[in-house]
């Protein structure tokens, strides 16, 4: 009785309080602290949390808290952005024609708070999800503008909401100290200054091309980079939206003709050089790198840190390439090579690719080559994008294999080596005297340095099945208790009602979440994710929303079963497990399209893990039949498929301590999960469980595991941020001013830096070669640990700063107590990386700044990223001059503007920005 009275009083007080807050919210904080304090005591006594109350004022927030957990400022931010957009674009929750894009995520922090909770709020409020292919999470970093975009693809109207980071940071500060979250949240919900810009545009491509003023207006109000993200992205996806292209957009920030090229190149690689076993890996020789690389990295599962050679070439070298097939001056059509390298046989098969950009310009009837102004050129790029996405089959034909070749280990090493020009080694570079006339002449071209010979591509099976574990559930204990799990024990078969949701009410939640209440649209792919949850959670005996549950998977826009992407599994996982992006307990690791799909369910308390490989043959059969057979009958059948038929399941404990004490268990784990997944689930999972730091999740998603190397990268980012406060907003490299990473060694740390600072190769933010042992020997001893050059550059003032970084790996190994001489590979690394994650201060002191330098002309900057150059010599760190040919002279490197240069979009950006000045 007493409690009930209190509750009533509290109810009245809150109502009075709420309405009063509306009028004088500022005064609440200053003048009425005592009143508020009394109120808190009262509410706590009544057993009511105050933060709950914001839901009373904004009932739609209930969806957000049901989905994303206890509400925070970040949830409210995502909700507000979505809500404003829903009003302005008049759409309802779950509208499949609405595209949501955001730069929120693990690596985007404001005031030290990461922003992934905004994504949960966007999902819960808009109904845009990965499974519906209309949730696009743009790879970004803390230094970049932070925005939300919604586009109604029926009307092609879009909203753009840019967050005022200072205002947001202030709220976040107060959130961590306030005793009255309710008042803070109310204030936040009504504060117009949270977004520094809220605008609405019509971004219909035809409309913009007919009315360039609309385009110009957008360029100059929100800036060309963001305008490109929105217009190029939404107009392309409105025409053609294969999941692989979405992933290109997510990583590259926009869709340009070259992002599309990366998609078509990847298709060629997957067809010509399918991976045959887990010993096969793709290596990209990106000389020169351009936007296509950002798509290819994603689709081919390439780690830039380990499997990429990326160097620019001088403009005059680009000019020499014949068109066709390279497609018009500026080297824009040099697709680079992809090698399928087998680490067992030490042999690689490679293809060299071309893109006929001139033909794309011609076929799209774009005025790109003669555009009178940069603004107009931007529209002419849009025209090419529209043509390519309206005619993907025609556009695909413009991408070709120019040459096939083989490499052995020595040759591969040469391709990697700093100062070598892969185009020369691969016999692609046209001769000085006579420019090659076209694809007909290349086979008998200049002096061959490699054994370039035509390959006969074996008719290999796709994907890599031979190394995967056979379907034997060795240490898996299947429960036969039907109350714990529906699968492997299938639910009792009900009488048919004609409605799958009626037959199996357990599917209702999934259909509400992902396909807006129509169980007829639940797909086999949804069901694969759903069944994975049933098996995984059943075996772990964890229920939905259990705080100990974490899910790891490679499912998503890329990894595929029978050529079909697996993002619908993600919707099912979110709904069935309650694990989400915003709760930091759903980790989507980036592997290539060829990778076999898996799910791992982890109890973070016991570190018990249920690992499920999808049995491709079973899944393929149902995916095939889904195309032709009656949905209802097929779904009824599929619900009854036992979990142990659909999956090969293992239950194992991955606790680091336990493994260190019982190292003999490792072989079993590696045997069942495969080497790289064992690294994910042992190295990675132990770190993110013990240290739930969003940046670790960002690294793990990008790099698929956490290792000593990627942790070194994490600590190096700290040093980069303190030494080199950004000049250009960490945008795309030298063209605009921004950041650039030059990797001197294939080392995991550079993937971590890229994951956190968004220096992607496609945006000219990432260059990589490998110093040879001889080149390292010529360095002074203190510089021999150098792995990374990092530069921030401002193109306008022609000024930049850089540092050469290394990490004292030896010291870390020593301090960790790991015995690298005698312990197995995985064990010493496990010891070292767990020590590194546990000792941030110590590790930060192991980051070494080998050199600090300033640059005052773009020629120097571009030299450091260029082929034929050893950057350590250029920076005066190595003893003797090593630079050989070509780019040594500034004249070549300062070529200001070439209409057909590699990234149309970046060039446009550069031109517009210079104009603005
Ligand atoms: Zn681009
Ligand atoms: Zn690694």
């Amino acid at each position: 009785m007493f409690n009930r009275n209190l509750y009533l009083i509290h109810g009245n007080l809150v109502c009075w309080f709420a309405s009063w807050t509306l009028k004088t919210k500022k005064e609440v904080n200053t003048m009425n602290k005592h009143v508020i304090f009394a109120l808190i005591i009262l509410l706590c006594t009544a057993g009511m949390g105050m933060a709950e109350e914001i839901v009373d004022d904004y009932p739609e927030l209930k969806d957000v808290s049901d989905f994303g957990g206890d509400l925070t400022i970040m949830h409210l931010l995502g909700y507000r952005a979505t809500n404003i957009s829903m009003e302005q674009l008049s759409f309802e929750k779950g509208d499949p024609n609405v595209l949501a894009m955001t730069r929120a995520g693990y690596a985007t922090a404001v005031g030290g708070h990461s922003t992934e909770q905004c994504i949960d709020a966007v999902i819960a409020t808009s109904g845009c999800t990965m499974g519906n292919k209309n949730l696009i999470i743009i790879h970004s970093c803390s230094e970049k503008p932070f925005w939300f975009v919604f586009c109604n693809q029926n009307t092609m109207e879009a909203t753009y909401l840019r967050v005022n980071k200072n205002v947001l940071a202030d709220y976040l500060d107060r959130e961590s100290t306030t005793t009255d979250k309710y008042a803070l949240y109310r204030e936040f919900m009504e504060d117009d200054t949270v977004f520094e810009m809220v605008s609405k545009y019509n971004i219909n491509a035809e409309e913009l091309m007919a009315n360039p003023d609309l385009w110009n207006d957008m360029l100059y109000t929100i800036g060309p980079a963001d305008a490109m993200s929105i217009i190029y992205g939404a107009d392309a996806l409105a025409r053609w939206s294969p999941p692989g292209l979405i992933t290109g957009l997510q990583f590259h920030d926009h869709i340009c003709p070259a992002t599309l090229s990366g998609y078509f190149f990847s298709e060629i690689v997957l067809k010509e050089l399918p991976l045959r076993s887990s010993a096969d890996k793709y290596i990209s020789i990106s000389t020169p790198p351009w936007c296509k690389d950002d798509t290819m990295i994603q689709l081919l599962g390439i780690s830039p840190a380990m499997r990429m050679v990326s160097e620019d070439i001088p403009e005059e070298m680009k000019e020499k390439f014949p068109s066709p097939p390279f497609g018009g001056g500026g080297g824009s059509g040099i697709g680079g090579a992809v090698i399928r390298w087998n680490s067992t046989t030490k042999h690689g098969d490679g293809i060299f690719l071309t893109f006929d950009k001139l033909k794309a310009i011609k076929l799209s009837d774009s005025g790109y080559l003669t555009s009178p102004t940069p603004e107009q050129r931007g529209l002419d790029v849009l025209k090419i994008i529209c043509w390519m996405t309206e005619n993907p089959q025609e556009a695909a034909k413009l991408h070709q294999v120019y040459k096939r070749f083989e490499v052995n280990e020595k040759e591969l090493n040469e391709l990697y080596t700093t100062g070598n020009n892969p185009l020369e080694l691969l016999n692609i570079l046209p001769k000085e005297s006579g420019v090659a006339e076209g694809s007909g002449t290349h086979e008998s071209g200049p002096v061959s340095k490699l054994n370039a010979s035509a390959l006969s591509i074996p008719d290999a099976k796709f994907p890599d099945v031979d190394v995967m574990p056979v379907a034997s559930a060795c240490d898996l204990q299947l429960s036969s208790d039907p109350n714990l799990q529906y699968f492997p024990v299938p639910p009792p078969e009900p009488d048919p009602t004609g409605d799958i949701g009626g037959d199996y009410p357990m599917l209702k939640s999934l259909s509400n979440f992902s396909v807006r209440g129509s169980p007829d649209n639940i797909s086999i792919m949804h069901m694969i994710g759903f069944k994975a949850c049933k098996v995984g959670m059943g075996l772990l005996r964890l229920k939905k929303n259990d705080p100990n549950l974490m899910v790891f998977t490679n499912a998503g826009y890329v990894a595929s079963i029978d050529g079909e992407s697996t993002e619908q599994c993600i919707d099912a996982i979110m709904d069935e497990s309650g694990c989400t992006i915003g709760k930091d307990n759903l980790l989507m690791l980036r592997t290539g399209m060829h990778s076999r799909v898996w799910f791992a369910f982890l109890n973070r308390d016991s570190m018990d893990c249920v690992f499920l490989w999808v049995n491709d043959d079973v899944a393929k059969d149902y995916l095939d039949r889904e195309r032709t057979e009656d949905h209802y009958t097929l779904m009824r059948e599929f619900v009854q498929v036992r979990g142990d038929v659909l999956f090969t399941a293992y239950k194992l404990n991955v606790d680091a301590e336990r493994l260190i004490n019982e190292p003999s268990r490792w072989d079993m784990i590696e045997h069942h999960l495969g080497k790289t997944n064992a690294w994910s689930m042992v190295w990675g999972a132990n770190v993110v469980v013990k240290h739930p730091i969003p940046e670790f999740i960002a690294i793990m998603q990008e790099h698929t595991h956490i290792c000593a190397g990627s942790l070194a990268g994490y600590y190096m980012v700290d040093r980069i941020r303190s030494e080199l406060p950004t000049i250009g907003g960490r945008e795309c490299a030298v063209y605009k001013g921004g950041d650039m990473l030059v990797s001197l060694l294939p080392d995991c740390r550079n993937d971590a830096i890229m994951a956190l600072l968004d220096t992607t190769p496609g945006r000219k933010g990432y260059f990589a070669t490998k110093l040879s042992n001889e080149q390292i020997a010529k360095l002074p001893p203190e510089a021999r640990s150098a792995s990374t050059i990092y530069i921030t550059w401002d193109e306008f003032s022609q000024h930049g700063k850089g540092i050469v970084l290394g990490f004292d790996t030896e010291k870390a190994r020593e301090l960790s107590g790991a015995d690298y001489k005698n312990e197995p590979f995985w064990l010493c690394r496990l010891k070292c990386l767990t020590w590194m994650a546990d000792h941030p201060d110590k590790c930060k002191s192991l980051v070494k700044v080998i050199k600090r330098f300033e640059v005052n002309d773009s020629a120097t900057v571009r030299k450091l990223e260029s082929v034929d150059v050893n950057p350590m010599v250029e920076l005066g760190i190595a003893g003797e001059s090593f630079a050989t040919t070509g780019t040594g002279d500034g004249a070549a490197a300062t070529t200001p503007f070439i209409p057909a240069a590699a990234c149309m979009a970046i060039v446009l950006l550069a031109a517009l920005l210079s104009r603005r000045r």
Side-chain angles (χ1 to χ4, degrees), residues 144-171:
K144 290 188 175 183
F146 174 28
W147 47 250
F148 299 84
V149 165
F150 289 82
C151 173
N152 185 335
Q153 291 186 300
N154 282 330
T155 60
M156 288 312 282
E157 283 183 324
T159 50
Y160 170 82
L161 301 101
R162 190 162 68 206
V163 175
N164 185 322
K165 291 186 182 178
N166 293 332
V167 172
L168 178 62
D170 182 52
Y171 276 103

Side-chain angles (χ1 to χ4, degrees), residues 252 254 256 291 903:
H252 188 60
H254 58 259
C256 53
C291 308
C903 178

